[in-house]
Amino acid sequence: MEKTEHKKGFTIPIGPQHPALKEPGHFRITVDGEIVTDVDVRLGYAHRGIEKAAEARSWVQNLYLFERVCGICSHIHAMAYCLGVERLAGVEAPPRAQAIRVLVAELERIHSHLLWLGVAAHEAGFDTLFMYSWRDRETIMDVLERFSGNRVNYSANILGGVKYDLDDEFVQFMCEGLDYLETRSEYYLEVVTTDAMFLQRTQNIGVMTRSQAELLGTVGPTARASNVHRDIRYEAPYSAYKQFPISIVLDQRGDLEARFVVRIKELFESYRLIRRILEELPEGDLAARMPRKIAEGETVSRVEAPRGELFYFIKSNGSDTPERVRVRTPTICNMMSVVKLAIGHQLADVPMILAGIDPCFSCNDRMFRVHLDQSVYANVGPLKG
Amino acid sequence: MKFGTLLQDLARSAVHNPITEKYPFEVRATPARLRGRLNWDAENCIGCGLCVKDCPSQAIELIVIDKKTKQFQLFYHLNRCTFCAQCVYSCRQECLSLSRDEWELAALNQEDFHIQYEREVDEVPCVAATDPAEA
């Protein structure tokens, strides 16, 4: 009896309601002593039916619906949607609007990465770093509030352009904030690479090789920390990234430390890009005129959210409401890496490995339908039961 | 994390007042672009209903009493509003604005959330509702 239990291991169910989880997700972790032998993940507890709701709303109304897919990366969702709808309508946003969109997207990336740094440090038990990074994150929140009036859900986008312009007073305020954050980011980079206690929790934990990262389909900083050249801003530049190219931040090691280093180095890249945009900000209108009915057709819109590739499929039937909008957020792509990487590690490392992909549960809860029609398999011969 | 850095922060915090503001006794200045309560300027409204159509949360109802004499009623449901400012952007007559100062909008009664804007009306010829729920 004892022997069988030892072989099977002991399964610990965590979630969907659990004090350690900020969002609902269910994990069944099988352990042999302290070592994880199997992980099973079940998602979908925060499914909100956003894609279906989009079919009942007009093109304009949907902009604000998709902005609320994620509270942290709200701008990039609206931007992905806008870019897709503008492509369908054959309208291009003016250069100044595109530059402002990218500028806000980079500000959002800074805010998201600083937030993640705090959360991940908290999971490692390093609450001082958590408090520091969240204190400094307030700087960027103030900048975003000054720009749009809101700390989150900035509503900076409209179909065809942006709502708000940059003025000198704001630019001055933002530059001061960026200067402060740059010195702080240098300090954080030093802390996560030199602090001996912290390195014990990150170095050689959750190591993912390049081939594993490609096989598991990881995206964003998680993939880049394993030396996978995957960044939509770099691979397929959209909006103003064509005029303002970014340089991709990579790391060879693939462990948790590399994910910290990649994200903090991306902060420097964002500071550089924002300053460059301010130097060469094009003049012109803020928005182009958009038709109320969008021409029939379908398109795919890919952008780089702070967590990785964000994918929108938009289909129009020529009316004033979309026929279908499909959203795929980066967390769903990265979740399989947690399931694979946790095996062989200590149970205490699982929260860190999970935090390493910067998960956002309610963003990724979408409906999947798997067609199990027998006729699909007609060409591959009869299925054996 | 170096010990000296922590000591510096400790010393600074010991002489520094708490950063928390004592709201509601101290009210922080709002940013210039803060989006608060919606205000309607009845003078310029032509009753096109674009604000009603574009509102993502169906917070606006416009009742056209007489389009020729520009007699409209605007019902604003504060508890539905997401303060996205799409109505302000959609309005070509620039008669909608989101207030910078009116942002403390909590209320104890449901009725306080349903705000009716109206211009003085002499007579009521006909009523055509453009409630988004019926449209």
mmCIF file of all heavy atoms in Angstrom, chain A residues 339-375:
data_model
loop_
_atom_site.group_PDB
_atom_site.id
_atom_site.type_symbol
_atom_site.label_atom_id
_atom_site.label_comp_id
_atom_site.label_asym_id
_atom_site.label_seq_id
_atom_site.Cartn_x
_atom_site.Cartn_y
_atom_site.Cartn_z
ATOM 1 N N VAL A 339 3.921 24.152 -16.887
ATOM 2 C CA VAL A 339 3.573 22.752 -16.648
ATOM 3 C C VAL A 339 4.798 21.861 -16.847
ATOM 4 O O VAL A 339 5.036 20.927 -16.090
ATOM 5 C CB VAL A 339 2.412 22.348 -17.589
ATOM 6 C CG1 VAL A 339 2.121 20.863 -17.500
ATOM 7 C CG2 VAL A 339 1.175 23.159 -17.270
ATOM 8 N N LYS A 340 5.595 22.160 -17.871
ATOM 9 C CA LYS A 340 6.763 21.324 -18.161
ATOM 10 C C LYS A 340 7.952 21.645 -17.253
ATOM 11 O O LYS A 340 8.659 20.754 -16.811
ATOM 12 C CB LYS A 340 7.187 21.503 -19.636
ATOM 13 C CG LYS A 340 6.167 20.996 -20.630
ATOM 14 C CD LYS A 340 6.082 19.477 -20.617
ATOM 15 C CE LYS A 340 4.944 18.974 -21.485
ATOM 16 N NZ LYS A 340 4.532 17.610 -21.121
ATOM 17 N N LEU A 341 8.161 22.940 -17.004
ATOM 18 C CA LEU A 341 9.376 23.342 -16.279
ATOM 19 C C LEU A 341 9.322 23.002 -14.797
ATOM 20 O O LEU A 341 10.354 22.786 -14.173
ATOM 21 C CB LEU A 341 9.620 24.846 -16.433
ATOM 22 C CG LEU A 341 9.951 25.353 -17.817
ATOM 23 C CD1 LEU A 341 10.165 26.842 -17.797
ATOM 24 C CD2 LEU A 341 11.183 24.658 -18.357
ATOM 25 N N ALA A 342 8.108 22.973 -14.243
ATOM 26 C CA ALA A 342 8.003 22.759 -12.796
ATOM 27 C C ALA A 342 8.439 21.344 -12.410
ATOM 28 O O ALA A 342 8.857 21.115 -11.279
ATOM 29 C CB ALA A 342 6.577 23.017 -12.345
ATOM 30 N N ILE A 343 8.339 20.403 -13.345
ATOM 31 C CA ILE A 343 8.657 19.004 -13.033
ATOM 32 C C ILE A 343 10.149 18.884 -12.699
ATOM 33 O O ILE A 343 11.007 19.349 -13.453
ATOM 34 C CB ILE A 343 8.278 18.085 -14.217
ATOM 35 C CG1 ILE A 343 6.755 18.132 -14.395
ATOM 36 C CG2 ILE A 343 8.740 16.654 -13.992
ATOM 37 C CD1 ILE A 343 6.250 17.518 -15.662
ATOM 38 N N GLY A 344 10.413 18.253 -11.557
ATOM 39 C CA GLY A 344 11.793 18.073 -11.121
ATOM 40 C C GLY A 344 12.265 19.135 -10.145
ATOM 41 O O GLY A 344 13.312 18.995 -9.540
ATOM 42 N N HIS A 345 11.488 20.213 -10.005
ATOM 43 C CA HIS A 345 11.846 21.258 -9.061
ATOM 44 C C HIS A 345 11.160 21.016 -7.719
ATOM 45 O O HIS A 345 10.254 20.214 -7.604
ATOM 46 C CB HIS A 345 11.440 22.635 -9.605
ATOM 47 C CG HIS A 345 12.361 23.146 -10.644
ATOM 48 N ND1 HIS A 345 12.135 22.935 -11.989
ATOM 49 C CD2 HIS A 345 13.516 23.834 -10.562
ATOM 50 C CE1 HIS A 345 13.108 23.480 -12.679
ATOM 51 N NE2 HIS A 345 13.968 24.024 -11.840
ATOM 52 N N GLN A 346 11.601 21.792 -6.724
ATOM 53 C CA GLN A 346 10.949 21.718 -5.426
ATOM 54 C C GLN A 346 9.579 22.402 -5.501
ATOM 55 O O GLN A 346 9.389 23.324 -6.302
ATOM 56 C CB GLN A 346 11.811 22.421 -4.384
ATOM 57 C CG GLN A 346 13.153 21.776 -4.196
ATOM 58 C CD GLN A 346 13.555 21.684 -2.746
ATOM 59 O OE1 GLN A 346 12.996 22.364 -1.911
ATOM 60 N NE2 GLN A 346 14.509 20.841 -2.454
ATOM 61 N N LEU A 347 8.681 21.957 -4.638
ATOM 62 C CA LEU A 347 7.335 22.533 -4.634
ATOM 63 C C LEU A 347 7.396 24.046 -4.390
ATOM 64 O O LEU A 347 6.630 24.813 -4.970
ATOM 65 C CB LEU A 347 6.488 21.847 -3.549
ATOM 66 C CG LEU A 347 5.040 22.287 -3.440
ATOM 67 C CD1 LEU A 347 4.278 21.972 -4.707
ATOM 68 C CD2 LEU A 347 4.369 21.633 -2.252
ATOM 69 N N ALA A 348 8.336 24.469 -3.541
ATOM 70 C CA ALA A 348 8.443 25.895 -3.207
ATOM 71 C C ALA A 348 8.864 26.744 -4.400
ATOM 72 O O ALA A 348 8.683 27.961 -4.397
ATOM 73 C CB ALA A 348 9.440 26.076 -2.069
ATOM 74 N N ASP A 349 9.429 26.111 -5.432
ATOM 75 C CA ASP A 349 9.848 26.873 -6.608
ATOM 76 C C ASP A 349 8.709 27.087 -7.604
ATOM 77 O O ASP A 349 8.832 27.917 -8.507
ATOM 78 C CB ASP A 349 11.002 26.157 -7.326
ATOM 79 C CG ASP A 349 12.307 26.287 -6.564
ATOM 80 O OD1 ASP A 349 12.489 27.334 -5.915
ATOM 81 O OD2 ASP A 349 13.108 25.347 -6.607
ATOM 82 N N VAL A 350 7.620 26.334 -7.440
ATOM 83 C CA VAL A 350 6.534 26.424 -8.427
ATOM 84 C C VAL A 350 5.935 27.838 -8.500
ATOM 85 O O VAL A 350 5.751 28.358 -9.609
ATOM 86 C CB VAL A 350 5.445 25.361 -8.152
ATOM 87 C CG1 VAL A 350 4.266 25.535 -9.097
ATOM 88 C CG2 VAL A 350 6.031 23.971 -8.315
ATOM 89 N N PRO A 351 5.657 28.503 -7.373
ATOM 90 C CA PRO A 351 5.127 29.876 -7.497
ATOM 91 C C PRO A 351 6.070 30.805 -8.251
ATOM 92 O O PRO A 351 5.625 31.650 -9.026
ATOM 93 C CB PRO A 351 4.968 30.340 -6.046
ATOM 94 C CG PRO A 351 4.875 29.108 -5.246
ATOM 95 C CD PRO A 351 5.692 28.083 -5.952
ATOM 96 N N MET A 352 7.382 30.619 -8.055
ATOM 97 C CA MET A 352 8.344 31.467 -8.763
ATOM 98 C C MET A 352 8.349 31.179 -10.261
ATOM 99 O O MET A 352 8.438 32.092 -11.084
ATOM 100 C CB MET A 352 9.752 31.223 -8.205
ATOM 101 C CG MET A 352 10.098 32.046 -6.993
ATOM 102 S SD MET A 352 10.071 33.795 -7.324
ATOM 103 C CE MET A 352 11.679 34.022 -8.044
ATOM 104 N N ILE A 353 8.261 29.877 -10.609
ATOM 105 C CA ILE A 353 8.263 29.517 -12.035
ATOM 106 C C ILE A 353 6.998 30.055 -12.697
ATOM 107 O O ILE A 353 7.028 30.562 -13.814
ATOM 108 C CB ILE A 353 8.393 27.987 -12.201
ATOM 109 C CG1 ILE A 353 9.772 27.539 -11.720
ATOM 110 C CG2 ILE A 353 8.171 27.565 -13.635
ATOM 111 C CD1 ILE A 353 9.944 26.051 -11.627
ATOM 112 N N LEU A 354 5.891 29.990 -11.955
ATOM 113 C CA LEU A 354 4.630 30.520 -12.492
ATOM 114 C C LEU A 354 4.739 32.036 -12.649
ATOM 115 O O LEU A 354 4.352 32.588 -13.682
ATOM 116 C CB LEU A 354 3.466 30.147 -11.561
ATOM 117 C CG LEU A 354 2.096 30.667 -11.967
ATOM 118 C CD1 LEU A 354 1.672 30.090 -13.298
ATOM 119 C CD2 LEU A 354 1.052 30.341 -10.914
ATOM 120 N N ALA A 355 5.275 32.698 -11.633
ATOM 121 C CA ALA A 355 5.402 34.165 -11.713
ATOM 122 C C ALA A 355 6.369 34.562 -12.820
ATOM 123 O O ALA A 355 6.250 35.648 -13.382
ATOM 124 C CB ALA A 355 5.876 34.718 -10.375
ATOM 125 N N GLY A 356 7.309 33.670 -13.156
ATOM 126 C CA GLY A 356 8.317 33.976 -14.180
ATOM 127 C C GLY A 356 7.750 34.230 -15.555
ATOM 128 O O GLY A 356 8.361 34.932 -16.358
ATOM 129 N N ILE A 357 6.564 33.676 -15.856
ATOM 130 C CA ILE A 357 5.965 33.951 -17.171
ATOM 131 C C ILE A 357 5.072 35.181 -17.123
ATOM 132 O O ILE A 357 4.475 35.547 -18.120
ATOM 133 C CB ILE A 357 5.166 32.736 -17.713
ATOM 134 C CG1 ILE A 357 3.918 32.469 -16.859
ATOM 135 C CG2 ILE A 357 6.027 31.511 -17.854
ATOM 136 C CD1 ILE A 357 2.867 31.668 -17.576
ATOM 137 N N ASP A 358 4.945 35.810 -15.965
ATOM 138 C CA ASP A 358 4.065 36.977 -15.795
ATOM 139 C C ASP A 358 2.626 36.614 -16.182
ATOM 140 O O ASP A 358 2.091 37.137 -17.158
ATOM 141 C CB ASP A 358 4.580 38.148 -16.653
ATOM 142 C CG ASP A 358 3.974 39.465 -16.214
ATOM 143 O OD1 ASP A 358 3.181 39.453 -15.263
ATOM 144 O OD2 ASP A 358 4.293 40.495 -16.825
ATOM 145 N N PRO A 359 2.015 35.682 -15.449
ATOM 146 C CA PRO A 359 0.696 35.202 -15.893
ATOM 147 C C PRO A 359 -0.414 36.229 -15.642
ATOM 148 O O PRO A 359 -0.344 37.006 -14.711
ATOM 149 C CB PRO A 359 0.477 33.959 -15.032
ATOM 150 C CG PRO A 359 1.236 34.226 -13.792
ATOM 151 C CD PRO A 359 2.407 35.083 -14.169
ATOM 152 N N CYS A 360 -1.397 36.203 -16.512
ATOM 153 C CA CYS A 360 -2.587 37.038 -16.342
ATOM 154 C C CYS A 360 -3.768 36.136 -16.656
ATOM 155 O O CYS A 360 -4.063 35.889 -17.811
ATOM 156 C CB CYS A 360 -2.521 38.235 -17.279
ATOM 157 S SG CYS A 360 -3.865 39.379 -17.035
ATOM 158 N N PHE A 361 -4.374 35.581 -15.613
ATOM 159 C CA PHE A 361 -5.341 34.505 -15.812
ATOM 160 C C PHE A 361 -6.618 34.959 -16.510
ATOM 161 O O PHE A 361 -7.107 34.299 -17.411
ATOM 162 C CB PHE A 361 -5.702 33.852 -14.479
ATOM 163 C CG PHE A 361 -4.602 33.017 -13.921
ATOM 164 C CD1 PHE A 361 -3.574 33.600 -13.216
ATOM 165 C CD2 PHE A 361 -4.576 31.660 -14.120
ATOM 166 C CE1 PHE A 361 -2.548 32.844 -12.705
ATOM 167 C CE2 PHE A 361 -3.560 30.886 -13.617
ATOM 168 C CZ PHE A 361 -2.537 31.476 -12.901
ATOM 169 N N SER A 362 -7.159 36.064 -16.045
ATOM 170 C CA SER A 362 -8.454 36.446 -16.618
ATOM 171 C C SER A 362 -8.324 36.910 -18.058
ATOM 172 O O SER A 362 -9.290 36.878 -18.803
ATOM 173 C CB SER A 362 -9.131 37.506 -15.765
ATOM 174 O OG SER A 362 -8.254 38.544 -15.492
ATOM 175 N N CYS A 363 -7.107 37.314 -18.482
ATOM 176 C CA CYS A 363 -6.914 37.671 -19.885
ATOM 177 C C CYS A 363 -7.029 36.452 -20.783
ATOM 178 O O CYS A 363 -7.533 36.529 -21.883
ATOM 179 C CB CYS A 363 -5.527 38.236 -20.125
ATOM 180 S SG CYS A 363 -5.159 39.673 -19.215
ATOM 181 N N ASN A 364 -6.493 35.319 -20.299
ATOM 182 C CA ASN A 364 -6.338 34.191 -21.217
ATOM 183 C C ASN A 364 -7.552 33.273 -21.252
ATOM 184 O O ASN A 364 -7.573 32.310 -21.994
ATOM 185 C CB ASN A 364 -5.056 33.408 -20.923
ATOM 186 C CG ASN A 364 -5.133 32.572 -19.683
ATOM 187 O OD1 ASN A 364 -6.212 32.157 -19.269
ATOM 188 N ND2 ASN A 364 -4.016 32.305 -19.065
ATOM 189 N N ASP A 365 -8.555 33.574 -20.415
ATOM 190 C CA ASP A 365 -9.695 32.660 -20.372
ATOM 191 C C ASP A 365 -10.615 32.877 -21.560
ATOM 192 O O ASP A 365 -11.475 33.741 -21.569
ATOM 193 C CB ASP A 365 -10.440 32.827 -19.043
ATOM 194 C CG ASP A 365 -9.685 32.179 -17.912
ATOM 195 O OD1 ASP A 365 -8.754 31.424 -18.219
ATOM 196 O OD2 ASP A 365 -10.020 32.409 -16.757
ATOM 197 N N ARG A 366 -10.412 32.082 -22.558
ATOM 198 C CA ARG A 366 -11.194 32.138 -23.783
ATOM 199 C C ARG A 366 -11.887 30.800 -23.983
ATOM 200 O O ARG A 366 -11.515 29.789 -23.419
ATOM 201 C CB ARG A 366 -10.292 32.373 -25.003
ATOM 202 C CG ARG A 366 -9.529 33.641 -25.006
ATOM 203 C CD ARG A 366 -10.296 34.742 -25.701
ATOM 204 N NE ARG A 366 -10.906 35.607 -24.720
ATOM 205 C CZ ARG A 366 -10.216 36.435 -23.955
ATOM 206 N NH1 ARG A 366 -8.934 36.528 -24.057
ATOM 207 N NH2 ARG A 366 -10.843 37.180 -23.080
ATOM 208 N N MET A 367 -12.843 30.807 -24.854
ATOM 209 C CA MET A 367 -13.562 29.573 -25.179
ATOM 210 C C MET A 367 -12.839 28.879 -26.325
ATOM 211 O O MET A 367 -12.481 29.500 -27.315
ATOM 212 C CB MET A 367 -14.973 29.963 -25.612
ATOM 213 C CG MET A 367 -15.813 28.822 -25.998
ATOM 214 S SD MET A 367 -16.582 28.091 -24.569
ATOM 215 C CE MET A 367 -17.614 26.914 -25.405
ATOM 216 N N PHE A 368 -12.603 27.597 -26.161
ATOM 217 C CA PHE A 368 -12.030 26.807 -27.255
ATOM 218 C C PHE A 368 -13.047 25.761 -27.664
ATOM 219 O O PHE A 368 -13.704 25.171 -26.823
ATOM 220 C CB PHE A 368 -10.756 26.086 -26.810
ATOM 221 C CG PHE A 368 -9.600 27.006 -26.622
ATOM 222 C CD1 PHE A 368 -9.336 27.561 -25.393
ATOM 223 C CD2 PHE A 368 -8.781 27.325 -27.686
ATOM 224 C CE1 PHE A 368 -8.279 28.419 -25.222
ATOM 225 C CE2 PHE A 368 -7.710 28.180 -27.520
ATOM 226 C CZ PHE A 368 -7.459 28.726 -26.288
ATOM 227 N N ARG A 369 -13.175 25.541 -28.938
ATOM 228 C CA ARG A 369 -14.057 24.469 -29.370
ATOM 229 C C ARG A 369 -13.239 23.518 -30.228
ATOM 230 O O ARG A 369 -12.639 23.908 -31.222
ATOM 231 C CB ARG A 369 -15.240 25.030 -30.167
ATOM 232 C CG ARG A 369 -16.347 24.002 -30.304
ATOM 233 C CD ARG A 369 -17.613 24.637 -30.772
ATOM 234 N NE ARG A 369 -17.463 25.206 -32.110
ATOM 235 C CZ ARG A 369 -18.426 25.865 -32.729
ATOM 236 N NH1 ARG A 369 -19.574 26.075 -32.138
ATOM 237 N NH2 ARG A 369 -18.236 26.332 -33.942
ATOM 238 N N VAL A 370 -13.244 22.256 -29.827
ATOM 239 C CA VAL A 370 -12.491 21.247 -30.572
ATOM 240 C C VAL A 370 -13.500 20.431 -31.370
ATOM 241 O O VAL A 370 -14.438 19.859 -30.807
ATOM 242 C CB VAL A 370 -11.694 20.343 -29.611
ATOM 243 C CG1 VAL A 370 -10.896 19.318 -30.391
ATOM 244 C CG2 VAL A 370 -10.781 21.172 -28.740
ATOM 245 N N HIS A 371 -13.326 20.441 -32.672
ATOM 246 C CA HIS A 371 -14.258 19.695 -33.522
ATOM 247 C C HIS A 371 -13.886 18.216 -33.506
ATOM 248 O O HIS A 371 -12.794 17.849 -33.903
ATOM 249 C CB HIS A 371 -14.195 20.223 -34.951
ATOM 250 C CG HIS A 371 -14.753 21.597 -35.075
ATOM 251 N ND1 HIS A 371 -16.091 21.846 -35.171
ATOM 252 C CD2 HIS A 371 -14.148 22.798 -35.077
ATOM 253 C CE1 HIS A 371 -16.292 23.149 -35.246
ATOM 254 N NE2 HIS A 371 -15.122 23.745 -35.184
ATOM 255 N N LEU A 372 -14.801 17.394 -33.034
ATOM 256 C CA LEU A 372 -14.545 15.958 -33.038
ATOM 257 C C LEU A 372 -15.498 15.274 -34.023
ATOM 258 O O LEU A 372 -16.170 14.309 -33.707
ATOM 259 C CB LEU A 372 -14.715 15.386 -31.625
ATOM 260 C CG LEU A 372 -13.564 15.720 -30.662
ATOM 261 C CD1 LEU A 372 -13.870 15.235 -29.277
ATOM 262 C CD2 LEU A 372 -12.265 15.113 -31.151
ATOM 263 N N ASP A 373 -15.589 15.845 -35.170
ATOM 264 C CA ASP A 373 -16.459 15.305 -36.202
ATOM 265 C C ASP A 373 -15.746 14.111 -36.859
ATOM 266 O O ASP A 373 -14.597 14.215 -37.271
ATOM 267 C CB ASP A 373 -16.736 16.421 -37.228
ATOM 268 C CG ASP A 373 -17.774 15.994 -38.230
ATOM 269 O OD1 ASP A 373 -18.196 14.826 -38.174
ATOM 270 O OD2 ASP A 373 -18.159 16.839 -39.059
ATOM 271 N N GLN A 374 -16.462 13.009 -36.961
ATOM 272 C CA GLN A 374 -15.844 11.805 -37.521
ATOM 273 C C GLN A 374 -15.396 12.017 -38.969
ATOM 274 O O GLN A 374 -14.396 11.459 -39.398
ATOM 275 C CB GLN A 374 -16.829 10.625 -37.461
ATOM 276 C CG GLN A 374 -17.042 10.071 -36.068
ATOM 277 C CD GLN A 374 -15.796 9.396 -35.508
ATOM 278 O OE1 GLN A 374 -15.083 8.718 -36.219
ATOM 279 N NE2 GLN A 374 -15.537 9.589 -34.230
ATOM 280 N N SER A 375 -16.150 12.848 -39.710
ATOM 281 C CA SER A 375 -15.825 13.023 -41.125
ATOM 282 C C SER A 375 -14.434 13.653 -41.298
ATOM 283 O O SER A 375 -13.788 13.489 -42.325
ATOM 284 C CB SER A 375 -16.882 13.894 -41.803
ATOM 285 O OG SER A 375 -16.906 15.160 -41.186
#
